Amino acid sequence: MSEHHSAEEIKKSVRKYIMVFVALLVGTVVTVLANEIHFSSIAMTVFVALLIASVKAFLVAGYFMHLISEKKMIYAILAATAFFFVALMYLTIWSLDKGSLIHIKHVT
Amino acid sequence: MDIPYTVKPREDTGLYNAKLGIWLFLASEVMLFGAFFSAYILLRVGALPGTWPTHLLNIPIGTVNTLVLITSSITVVMAWASLKLNNFGKFRLYQGITVLCALIFVGIKSYEYHDKFTHYEVKLTDGKVYNGHISGSPMFMNLAKLTTGKTAVKEIQFIPDPPKGEKHAAHPEPITIQVAEIKKLECYGPFHSTYLAIYFTMTALHGLHVVGGALVIAYLWGPGARMWRTDPERFTNRIEVSGLFWHFVDLVWIFLFPVLYLL
């Protein structure tokens, strides 16, 4: 968020914070309720749970952490972080593929 | 000598230094927790079919803890907004609630940990397996402690869990188990299963972040608040930086909750 704010801007932001707070409370309840639904596959269950969590994470990062209106330098840092995070997850999932070079064989 | 760029943004980054610093730190934190989430995926997918426990944790308690952290997140940002509106009294109120929420979160987590450390799986020599609590709720009891030293006994009173899927059913009657008939006795600590190992590792690491963040926020609420009188803009920036860390702690929990409690 820019470093100088008028009182009016801050008051507008406060209203947004309250709306985000309510959305996060609702999101938490939806997460728990979605867990009661039996989806057709485990992949769908995981997808729904992570989708709701991602929406909540976006609200926290975007509004509480002011990422929707930040400086380019912070976006650059986060872009690099996202790149390495995605690479880490890609390697993790790739290692589960039995045909891949980095597959870990389980000893039973 | 004054430290430069504690209030005024640098020309090249457009940020005051502490803000750049906290975002670089949070970037490293993303990779730290990312590594543990990666480990979780590998352990879970690699587990033999049917061996990964689900719904071992108390979902209502986890939900309450999630709501507590979300509440603390809004009070942190409202505290910062109060300073921007020159209202120090409201800042004190909101940050006080934040510290209270942190204490509640840690208290609930401790209760959950205690519940696991007093919950046992008992395997008998005749092949029977019981899950439940030992009368008196001792922590970290094992067969060696039951057979030697001051804690040695000949029999234990064991309160089995209700049958699975009947959480609200009354507990079965306590049973007496002869120590000589016990083959293995182990509580639900981190050593009990792969799931509990990664559960305790991730939640303890997160818990340390909660404690660390709460200590900083409490300091800035108490003795550190003196700076408001001498350098209010710098103090407000300190609150913003501590708040960014706190929101990150909340973000991590937003993913930990479904992954560990629900899936």
Side-chain angles (χ1 to χ4, degrees), chain A residues 3 5 17 21 28 31-32 35 53 57 64-66 70-71 73-74 77 81 84-85 88-89 92 95 106, chain B residues 14-16 19-20 23 27 31 34 38 42 46 55 63 70 74 78 80 84-85 244 247 251 254-255 262:
Chain A
E3 307 308 327
H5 321 267
Y17 299 150
F21 173 61
T28 303
T31 307
V32 176
N35 183 54
F64 287 174
M65 299 172 90
H66 307 133
E70 261 305 349
K71 295 283 187 291
M73 173 60 82
I74 289 175
I77 292 168
T81 310
F84 286 108
F85 184 81
L88 175 65
M89 288 301 147
T92 305
S95 74
H106 295 285
Chain B
L15 302 162
Y16 59 90
K19 195 162 176 179
L20 179 63
W23 274 109
M31 296 314 293
S38 168
L42 285 174
H55 300 102
T63 307
I70 288 171
I74 191 175
M78 293 291 266
W80 170 80
K84 285 284 186 186
L85 294 169
L244 285 170
H247 294 311
L251 264 182
I254 282 173
F255 286 97
L262 303 177

Side-chain angles (χ1 to χ4, degrees), chain B residues 83-256:
Chain B
L83 290 181
K84 285 284 186 186
L85 294 169
N86 222 12
N87 191 336
F88 185 75
K90 271 199 171 176
F91 156 77
R92 268 268 163 89
L93 174 69
Y94 284 126
Q95 285 299 65
I97 296 171
T98 306
V99 174
L100 188 66
C101 285
L103 289 174
I104 293 170
F105 182 90
V106 173
I108 291 175
K109 203 82 219 129
S110 304
Y111 168 78
E112 283 187 289
Y113 276 20
H114 179 266
D115 185 57
K116 288 283 161 275
F117 298 152
T118 57
H119 189 211
Y120 291 88
E121 182 185 66
V122 186
K123 289 181 180 170
L124 303 185
T125 49
D126 63 3
K128 282 182 185 164
V129 179
Y130 291 104
N131 281 284
H133 293 81
I134 299 173
S135 182
S137 296
M139 286 200 290
F140 296 113
M141 189 52 75
N142 57 37
L143 195 50
K145 286 182 187 172
L146 283 180
T147 50
T148 53
K150 287 178 186 172
T151 51
V153 287
K154 288 196 171 162
E155 60 183 31
I156 56 169
Q157 290 293 312
F158 197 77
I159 306 138
D161 291 338
K164 274 198 172 180
E166 295 176 35
K167 281 182 186 172
H168 301 295
H171 270 283
E173 287 296 307
I175 53 173
T176 302
I177 297 176
Q178 299 299 317
V179 172
E181 290 173 6
I182 298 174
K183 190 177 170 189
K184 190 180 177 185
L185 174 92
E186 195 172 72
C187 76
Y188 278 67
F191 38 75
H192 185 66
S193 68
T194 312
Y195 166 76
L196 285 168
I198 195 77
Y199 160 74
F200 278 108
T201 305
M202 292 178 89
T203 54
L205 181 67
H206 178 264
L208 284 176
H209 281 72
V210 171
V211 172
L215 284 174
V216 171
I217 289 170
Y219 171 75
L220 293 172
W221 179 82
R226 275 176 303 204
M227 185 185 269
W228 174 251
R229 276 177 267 151
T230 55
D231 198 347
E233 279 190 88
R234 189 176 173 193
F235 180 70
T236 306
N237 285 349
R238 284 188 168 187
I239 295 303
E240 184 180 21
V241 167
S242 63
L244 285 170
F245 177 79
W246 193 257
H247 294 311
F248 175 78
V249 171
D250 183 25
L251 264 182
V252 172
W253 184 258
I254 282 173
F255 286 97
L256 278 180

Side-chain angles (χ1 to χ4, degrees), chain A residues 33-63:
Chain A
L33 291 179
N35 183 54
E36 299 295 321
I37 301 169
H38 294 285
F39 291 100
S40 54
S41 66
I42 294 173
M44 181 56 83
T45 309
V46 173
F47 175 76
V48 170
L50 292 185
L51 181 69
I52 300 168
S54 299
V55 171
K56 287 168 70 185
F58 169 78
L59 290 173
V60 172
Y63 293 94

